Amino acid sequence: MKLLLLSNSTMAGKPFLGWPKEYLKSFIGDASKKLLFIPYAGVNVYWDGYAKKVSKYFEEFGYETISIYKQQDPVKAIREADSIMVGGGNTFHLVYHLHKNELIPLIRQAVLDGKPYIGWSAGANVACPTLCTTNDMPIIQPESFDTFNLVQFQINPHYLDANPEGHGGETREDRINEFLEINREKVVLGLREGTGLWIEDDNIKLIGNKTARFFQYGKEPKELDDRKARDKLVISDIS
Amino acid sequence: MKLLLLSNSTMAGKPFLGWPKEYLKSFIGDASKKLLFIPYAGVNVYWDGYAKKVSKYFEEFGYETISIYKQQDPVKAIREADSIMVGGGNTFHLVYHLHKNELIPLIRQAVLDGKPYIGWSAGANVACPTLCTTNDMPIIQPESFDTFNLVQFQINPHYLDANPEGHGGETREDRINEFLEINREKVVLGLREGTGLWIEDDNIKLIGNKTARFFQYGKEPKELDDRKARDKLVISDIS
């Protein structure tokens, strides 16, 4: 199983998928490749516009991108793709359409069978067992909160340490602790913007320039860092 | 129908339910009153602790507070209460337990029949048709996103104008616009912290020291303000 899960696509003021460019190229590989794009998290950008933007970005590397919502036969489209790529946007919108189009078991099985999976933001979140650690607004009710269940932990993308000054709402850490309070057997990895996970079977590498914050019920959160060693995180920490 | 819907309970660094104290007293009234409290949004605070804190706060005014989760007969508890009060916390947790305990139709009918309703944060959100404009993390999957449907608009509590600096995520306005994109017939009122709505039938008064931001599909958002006139918002704006 091979997954590239990115906290976010775009750093404030920087180009779309700018920061993870080299990771994406190296993850997908050099040969001419066919990418199957899932744009269902797109709301205001619409799917056509979103697909076009993503397609243009990957053309530079010599990759061809096709979009799931234009395929008559999704089983064939998944089989023929070299990688599956799930874009960010609104997680509820994404999960609503994944369930509506009965794609969860199909994509899950393809990835378990070795098809590489790339996801950013909402697309990284849905690689987890559920959408329960999203930051997004529940603008539409999906059939279920269950997602691809490819990793055993929950990702909180766009992880943020503090609240805007003078704002009384919960911090991200408060929210994750609420999740753990009623899901005590689960663990959560807060991925700060500009970071991601490169996963090959049991080998999980943190990429980017920041540490990740790891939460378990009843324990102090800890900062995970493998930027120096560039080897795997201690897998027992997050599985 | 009589509703007091508050954006938030607590301003940063201030005491619990400090800012709306006079509004609460005047809304509930002078005589000794019995309040039925719904603490289901409480997660980390637990219901006992939450109920105790709320009960202590209202004791000062001479009110008695009972908690729904301790009642064998919720129909009787609702009937005998002078007001129903729904506290803030996690909206998904609140809505999960409202559905699980089959309280939505019971409380809705009581309020339509004249029982005053007080809600802060999540408790204000659930007075709306759905939970779809909450800011909370979906830590648990409720049976449905449907809520009390007492007002015809959606409230976004803790409405916030900007994001923390350098953060690439959506602003609150972006999120609300995404909601409107796929719910074009709905309207949303962003209630900033320290504000609320005092509703008596069709008369809707904005309380607190800030304007409220009103969103409709395809139109520029506008700032609603009746702090000077102290009369009702133009009801046609938000219904």
Side-chain angles (χ1 to χ4, degrees):
Chain A
M1 195 176 60
K2 212 178 152 198
L3 310 168
L4 184 64
L5 306 178
L6 308 171
S7 173
N8 64 317
S9 58
T10 311
M11 301 302 284
K14 302 285 180 185
F16 175 65
L17 288 175
W19 78 266
K21 202 166 180 171
E22 293 308 316
Y23 295 114
L24 284 164
K25 270 168 74 172
S26 139
F27 183 85
I28 298 167
D30 275 340
S32 138
K33 298 282 182 179
K34 199 167 173 180
L35 311 175
L36 178 63
F37 180 52
I38 319 286
Y40 293 146
V43 181
N44 282 348
V45 293
Y46 298 103
W47 298 340
D48 274 343
Y50 197 9
K52 206 168 158 185
K53 178 176 164 182
V54 167
S55 177
K56 199 178 157 196
Y57 173 90
F58 284 102
E59 255 172 43
E60 254 192 60
F61 311 149
Y63 303 150
E64 180 196 358
T65 308
I66 63 162
S67 269
I68 189 77
Y69 70 102
K70 290 188 172 171
Q71 308 309 311
Q72 292 298 320
D73 183 348
V75 176
K76 185 164 167 271
I78 291 167
R79 192 178 55 234
E80 291 180 355
D82 292 308
S83 293
I84 291 164
M85 195 160 62
V86 184
N90 182 286
T91 311
F92 290 90
H93 203 252
L94 169 59
V95 175
Y96 174 87
H97 287 282
L98 287 175
H99 281 291
K100 193 179 162 198
N101 293 287
E102 298 172 348
L103 288 171
I104 303 265
L106 285 181
I107 291 178
R108 175 177 157 76
Q109 196 53 53
V111 179
L112 290 176
D113 291 346
K115 188 87 65 185
Y117 177 102
I118 298 160
W120 58 87
S121 190
N125 197 148
V126 295
C128 305
T130 68
L131 64 67
C132 288
T133 48
T134 178
N135 310 304
D136 294 339
M137 191 173 265
I139 60 173
I140 191 168
Q141 183 179 339
E143 190 189 298
S144 150
F145 283 8
D146 293 344
T147 51
F148 291 131
N149 193 23
L150 295 165
V151 294
Q152 289 165 39
F153 49 94
Q154 286 290 135
I155 289 172
N156 176 246
H158 303 272
Y159 182 77
L160 198 61
D161 293 278
N163 263 348
E165 216 172 308
H167 190 67
E170 303 86 359
T171 63
R172 192 67 57 79
E173 186 162 324
D174 293 338
R175 290 163 186 268
I176 292 170
N177 283 330
E178 285 187 351
F179 169 77
L180 291 174
E181 182 67 40
I182 57 166
N183 297 278
R184 297 188 180 186
E185 78 293 358
K186 301 284 170 68
V187 296
V188 182
L189 193 63
L191 279 183
R192 295 184 175 89
E193 295 194 337
T195 70
L197 299 175
W198 181 307
I199 301 175
E200 297 193 34
D201 297 322
D202 285 346
N203 192 326
I204 302 179
K205 257 176 61 179
L206 177 67
I207 60 171
N209 294 319
K210 295 167 198 151
T211 55
R213 197 156 174 85
F214 177 66
F215 300 86
Q216 262 181 303
Y217 178 74
K219 295 191 181 165
E220 273 299 298
K222 52 182 174 181
E223 291 295 324
L224 300 187
D225 186 357
D226 63 351
R227 293 169 303 167
K228 285 166 202 146
R230 284 284 167 218
D231 56 12
K232 65 176 178 176
L233 294 177
V234 182
I235 180 72
S236 61
D237 278 347
I238 63 169
S239 64
Chain B
M1 194 176 62
K2 214 178 152 198
L3 311 168
L4 184 65
L5 306 178
L6 309 171
S7 172
N8 64 317
S9 58
T10 311
M11 302 301 285
K14 302 285 178 185
F16 177 64
L17 288 175
W19 78 267
K21 201 166 182 172
E22 293 307 316
Y23 295 114
L24 283 164
K25 271 168 75 173
S26 141
F27 182 86
I28 298 166
D30 275 340
S32 138
K33 299 282 185 179
K34 199 167 173 179
L35 310 175
L36 178 64
F37 180 52
I38 319 286
Y40 292 147
V43 182
N44 282 347
V45 292
Y46 298 102
W47 299 339
D48 273 344
Y50 197 9
K52 205 168 159 186
K53 178 176 165 181
V54 166
S55 178
K56 198 178 158 199
Y57 173 90
F58 283 102
E59 254 172 41
E60 254 193 59
F61 311 150
Y63 303 151
E64 181 197 356
T65 307
I66 63 161
S67 270
I68 190 77
Y69 69 103
K70 291 188 172 170
Q71 308 308 310
Q72 292 297 319
D73 183 349
V75 176
K76 185 163 167 272
I78 292 167
R79 192 177 56 233
E80 290 179 355
D82 291 308
S83 293
I84 291 165
M85 197 159 63
V86 184
N90 182 285
T91 311
F92 290 89
H93 203 252
L94 170 59
V95 174
Y96 174 87
H97 286 282
L98 286 175
H99 280 290
K100 193 178 163 199
N101 293 287
E102 298 173 348
L103 288 171
I104 303 266
L106 286 180
I107 291 178
R108 175 178 157 76
Q109 196 54 52
V111 178
L112 289 176
D113 291 345
K115 189 86 65 187
Y117 177 102
I118 298 161
W120 59 86
S121 190
N125 196 148
V126 296
C128 305
T130 69
L131 63 66
C132 289
T133 48
T134 178
N135 310 305
D136 293 340
M137 191 173 265
I139 59 173
I140 191 168
Q141 182 178 340
E143 190 189 297
S144 149
F145 283 7
D146 292 344
T147 50
F148 292 130
N149 193 22
L150 294 165
V151 295
Q152 290 165 39
F153 49 94
Q154 286 290 136
I155 289 172
N156 175 246
H158 303 272
Y159 182 77
L160 198 62
D161 292 279
N163 263 349
E165 217 173 306
H167 190 67
E170 302 86 359
T171 63
R172 192 66 58 80
E173 186 162 323
D174 294 337
R175 290 163 187 268
I176 292 171
N177 283 330
E178 286 187 349
F179 170 76
L180 291 174
E181 183 68 39
I182 56 166
N183 297 278
R184 297 189 180 185
E185 76 295 357
K186 303 282 170 67
V187 296
V188 181
L189 193 64
L191 280 183
R192 295 184 175 91
E193 295 194 337
T195 69
L197 298 175
W198 181 307
I199 300 175
E200 296 194 31
D201 298 322
D202 285 345
N203 193 325
I204 303 180
K205 258 174 63 178
L206 178 67
I207 60 170
N209 293 319
K210 296 166 198 151
T211 55
R213 196 156 175 86
F214 176 67
F215 299 87
Q216 263 180 303
Y217 178 73
K219 294 188 182 168
E220 273 299 299
K222 52 182 174 182
E223 291 295 323
L224 301 186
D225 185 358
D226 62 352
R227 293 169 303 167
K228 285 166 202 146
R230 283 286 166 216
D231 55 13
K232 65 175 179 179
L233 294 177
V234 182
I235 179 72
S236 60
D237 278 347
I238 63 168
S239 65

